[in-house]
Amino acid sequence: MTHQAGVHIVSHPLLAQHLTKLRAKETLAREFRWSLKESAKILLLDALAQAPMKKIPIETPLARTEGQMLAIPIVLVAVLRAGLGMIEGMTEILSEASLGHIGLYRDERTLRPVHYYSKIPPIAPNAWTIIVDPMLATGGSATYAINLLRERGARTVKQISLIASKRGIQNLRKAHPDIEIFVAQVDKVLNNKGYIVPGLGDCGDRLFSTA
Ligand code: PRP
Ligand code: URA
């Protein structure tokens, strides 16, 4: 794992393999869904590596001993639509997480996020709120989502994306300097339509076969 000023580039052979499949244009929708879901698990494991734990007494069939459990609630917030492709994998490894949804799409001309839906569970002051969106392009959607979550009481907020652009990271950290970002890869450029290059194309369209 690389760690530079709040940006964690998660390094794992299986994540690199899934990213390669996700980038390849010939990858079918069902393989795309599978690799995105599996990538999400690896990214979440890394994002939770430093989570505070509490000790609890337990009894095995043989003796009393001590175990550990997460000391904080985790709220996963999927940014629609593409974030849905990561949430299922995450809940498979963290079934106790509560789930929120924020509906945003980018205006094709201005590239600004347009908000059309949100349903956020209660967020306790000590909760870790994790925004889940595979693509961090201009950073506008993530910045919007974090503003909204802050209004709902979120204090510790993290962002998990599969691919981020350098510009997206810069913009997001400028707006929210305390946010930790976990990604599989940072790509250098955005094209004139705001797509990450090389990227993987339109994630929502590839996930839901809408292109
Ligand atoms: C994509 C992606 C992010 C956003 C990133 O959503 O899933 O939410 O773009 O771009 P930004 O960093 O420049 O804001 P999109 O607008 O394609 O909506 P969709 O997931 O519903 O297709
Ligand atoms: N949204 C996507 O789905 N892909 C990009 O490259 C940028 C925004």
Side-chain angles (χ1 to χ4, degrees), residues 63-165:
R64 287 176 196 275
T65 184
E66 205 172 57
Q68 294 185 64
M69 299 291 279
L70 283 171
I72 46 152
I74 305 286
V75 181
L76 300 174
V77 180
V79 176
L80 307 179
R81 291 174 299 167
L84 291 176
M86 300 181 88
I87 282 292
E88 188 189 342
M90 292 182 171
T91 54
E92 280 178 11
I93 60 168
L94 187 69
S95 55
E96 65 267 44
S98 44
L99 302 181
H101 297 87
I102 300 179
L104 296 174
Y105 68 87
R106 290 195 312 180
D107 179 287
E108 284 181 9
R109 197 178 50 82
T110 64
L111 297 183
R112 296 302 305 153
V114 180
H115 180 212
Y116 60 90
Y117 179 80
S118 54
K119 194 85 177 172
I120 308 294
I123 302 177
N126 67 337
W128 279 18
T129 302
I130 303 179
I131 298 174
V132 179
D133 189 339
M135 309 305 281
L136 178 61
T138 65
S141 301
T143 301
Y144 189 101
I146 294 167
N147 287 340
L148 193 150
L149 291 164
R150 291 267 193 238
E151 283 169 17
R152 307 290 176 96
R155 292 189 182 167
T156 304
V157 182
K158 298 171 193 296
Q159 167 94 15
I160 292 182
S161 293
L162 184 77
I163 304 177
S165 74

